[in-house]
């Protein structure tokens, strides 16, 4: 009896319609379906609908396959190409970036239009897609009004962004806190109650524009911090010291949390979202824009290091690139800085590139074996620190390479181990020789290389 009451209060057993079955929509639909609701997942892709109808998923995320299979076989999650009447509509469509770096809101536009004919009084409409500040109140609400229903009076409307980390989506959907921005307080409360069927983190209630800005600034914070680390890497190379060591020790300070440098920032979130703030506040968001540009410049910076390292090689310089995805242990190539680096290398002329990455099928990278791929190469470039690259046999690598050169862009390997095998080790952010005049005198302590600890990754 009590359970029934608790369930009713949580609105369990509602009909939900999740529009957009991508990296966020599908796991979200599956979570609602496995926590007592009846969910229709909607997508324009026939391939996704067919796979989901069979209980299969095309997204590689720990645990997702099982929960999708179970909810589909129980009839709790069904797939359709068009929205069905429901109590709540959850919009999880992409917001790509236009060539002028503004947000392309056309998918949100289409998703909202698709529900207008089936909306009923008392429905909830929830936007999860990352959007420029003001999108829910201005774009979504004004379109919803075309239904004849008034948002805030007849419809509960809220912005409720996801904050999950690819690779840990199911876990973080449950444990992360959420910010829920209602166009009215009642809207936010209703939406909070709906998500409480699976969210165990705190849920904070605010207005929709504040929630939109929270989502953007979380990713912007990370982007700016990574840009600072990238700049530090360049500075330390010039000073002949090791940026990773600087970061490691600076982070011992209780209020410092420097991020890690790398060959650039990828993924559909951090490399994109800051532009949505710049779009709205171009004159004011100066640091945000500069950080974006610094991070975007990193593939070229790495390219320049590659050119310097291989300047003595005559003929075609062969580079073996380990990892192509935008970050470790995921299969996602979106906005990958490594893909950009490879294109730049090819455009340079005089370079041939071979890739190894069992997570992503990029020009045959999936089926390639590392020790075969390095055969005849002049440079081994560690671009993504996938788990499987952590322990490699550098002696076997050395035997096969035509020129013994390694460039680690992630501080993943130990300099000593690589060099003991007879390879020369180079690390992004570690300048072995100062590049400018410094003060003389004293006995220098050699700058460390290849220092890393689990806390740095
Ligand atoms: N990166 C660095 N140095 C670092 C950390 C990351 O170069 O110290 C690079 C990665 O290699 C990668 C990129 O940044 O190319 C982004 O990776 P990430 O792991 O930082 O983030 P995403 O894009 O996978 O997920 C982010 C997360 N946001 C935050 O951590 C603030 C996630 O929680 C969001 O839900 C997600 O964006 C999203 O969907 O917005």
């Amino acid at each position: 009896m009590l359970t029934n009451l608790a369930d009713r209060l949580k609105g369990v057993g509602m009909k939900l319609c999740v529009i957009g079955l991508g990296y966020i929509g599908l796991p979200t639909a599956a979570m609602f379906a496995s926590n007592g609701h009846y969910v229709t997942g909607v997508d324009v892709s026939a391939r996704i609908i067919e796979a989901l109808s069979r209980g299969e998923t095309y997204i590689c995320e720990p645990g997702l396959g099982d929960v999708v299979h179970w909810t589909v076989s129980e009839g709790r999650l069904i797939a359709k190409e068009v929205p069905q009447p429901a109590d709540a509509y959850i919009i999880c469509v992409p917001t790509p970036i236009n060539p002028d770096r503004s947000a392309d809101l056309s998918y949100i536009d289409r998703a909202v239009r698709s529900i207008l004919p089936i909306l009923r009084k008392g429905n909830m409409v929830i936007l999860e897609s990352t959007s420029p500040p003001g999108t829910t109140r201005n774009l979504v609400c004004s379109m919803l009004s075309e239904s004849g229903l008034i948002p805030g009076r007849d419809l509960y409307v809220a912005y409720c962004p996801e904050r999950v980390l690819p690779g840990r989506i199911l876990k973080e959907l449950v444990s992360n806190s959420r910010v829920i921005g209602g166009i009215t307080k009642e809207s936010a409360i209703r939406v909070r109650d709906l998500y409480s069927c699976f969210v165990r983190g705190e849920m904070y209630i605010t207005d929709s524009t504040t929630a939109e800005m929270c989502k953007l600034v979380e990713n912007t914070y990370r982007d700016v911090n990574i840009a600072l680390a990238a700049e530090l890497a360049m500075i330390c190379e010039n000073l002949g010291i090791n940026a990773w060591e600087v970061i490691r020790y600076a982070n011992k300070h209780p209020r410092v949390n420097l991020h890690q440098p790398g060959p650039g920032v990828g993924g559909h979130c951090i490399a994109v979202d800051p532009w949505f703030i710049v779009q709205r506040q171009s004159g004011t968001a100066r640091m945000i824009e500069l950080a974006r540009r610094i991070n975007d410049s990193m593939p070229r910076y790495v390219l320049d290091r590659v050119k310097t390292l291989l300047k003595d090689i005559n003929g075609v310089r062969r580079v073996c690139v380990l990892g192509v995805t935008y970050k470790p242990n995921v299969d996602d190539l979106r906005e990958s800085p490594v893909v950009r680096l490879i294109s730049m290398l090819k455009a340079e002329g005089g370079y041939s590139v071979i890739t190894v990455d069992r997570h992503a099928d990029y020009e045959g990278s999936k089926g390639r074996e590392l020790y075969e791929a390095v055969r005849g190469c002049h440079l081994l470039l560690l671009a993504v620190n996938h788990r499987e690259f952590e322990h490699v046999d550098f002696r076997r690598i050395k035997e096969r390479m035509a020129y013994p050169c390694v460039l680690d862009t992630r501080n993943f390997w130990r300099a000593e181990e690589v060099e003991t095998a007879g390879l020369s080790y180079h690390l992004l952010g570690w300048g072995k020789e100062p590049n400018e005049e410094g003060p003389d005198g004293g006995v220098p302590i050699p700058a460390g290389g290849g220092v890393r600890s689990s806390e740095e990754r």
Side-chain angles (χ1 to χ4, degrees), residues 290-445:
L290 181 61
R292 242 343 18 261
R293 293 193 190 282
I294 290 173
N295 285 330
D296 270 354
S297 74
M298 286 312 282
R300 178 150 303 277
Y301 186 79
V302 175
L303 171 77
D304 289 342
R305 282 212 64 178
V306 171
K307 283 163 66 177
T308 308
L309 289 172
L310 299 184
K311 66 179 187 319
D312 295 333
I313 307 290
N314 295 318
V316 175
R317 297 150 175 101
R318 289 187 290 277
V319 181
C320 178
V321 176
L322 300 190
V324 196
T325 55
Y326 86 92
K327 70 174 193 174
N329 311 317
V330 298
D331 63 353
D332 198 339
L333 286 167
R334 287 180 299 172
E335 314 290 331
S336 169
V338 187
V339 171
R340 281 187 50 217
L341 170 63
I342 293 170
S343 310
M344 284 176 186
L345 266 171
K346 289 180 179 166
E348 231 10 75
Y351 290 88
S352 82
V353 178
I354 185 159
T355 53
V356 182
D357 192 327
R358 69 174 164 84
H359 301 267
D361 197 3
Y362 175 85
E363 299 182 349
S365 64
K366 209 168 199 162
R368 222 168 259 137
E369 209 249 342
L370 162 62
Y371 301 102
E372 281 312 308
V374 292
R375 211 176 272 284
C377 284
H378 301 101
L379 176 70
L380 179 61
L381 197 160
L382 191 276
V384 183
N385 41 338
H386 287 312
R387 214 171 278 124
E388 62 275 17
F389 298 143
E390 187 165 8
H391 301 291
V392 294
D393 184 340
F394 291 107
R395 286 185 197 283
R396 276 180 80 190
I397 289 171
K398 163 75 173 59
E399 280 164 19
R400 289 161 170 78
M401 287 183 74
Y403 187 73
C405 193
V406 169
L407 175 58
D408 178 354
T409 66
R410 302 284 185 172
N411 193 27
F412 203 43
W413 291 331
R414 290 183 194 287
E416 204 187 295
E417 196 187 337
V418 178
E419 295 200 324
T420 306
L423 294 155
S424 75
Y425 178 77
H426 304 271
L427 173 64
L428 179 73
W430 182 24
K432 291 184 184 173
E433 299 292 333
N435 221 349
E436 59 181 24
E437 296 283 306
D440 283 342
V443 180
I445 300 172

Side-chain angles (χ1 to χ4, degrees), residues 130 162-166 172 215 218-219 222 226 259-262 264-267 269-270 273 326-328 337 410:
T130 306
E162 54 73 27
R163 304 161 121 180
V164 291
L165 198 68
E172 292 206 358
K215 171 68 196 176
E218 288 160 14
N219 284 344
R222 208 155 159 81
I226 298 167
H259 287 21
Q260 313 294 303
V265 169
C269 308
I270 297 187
D273 298 359
Y326 86 92
K327 70 174 193 174
R410 302 284 185 172

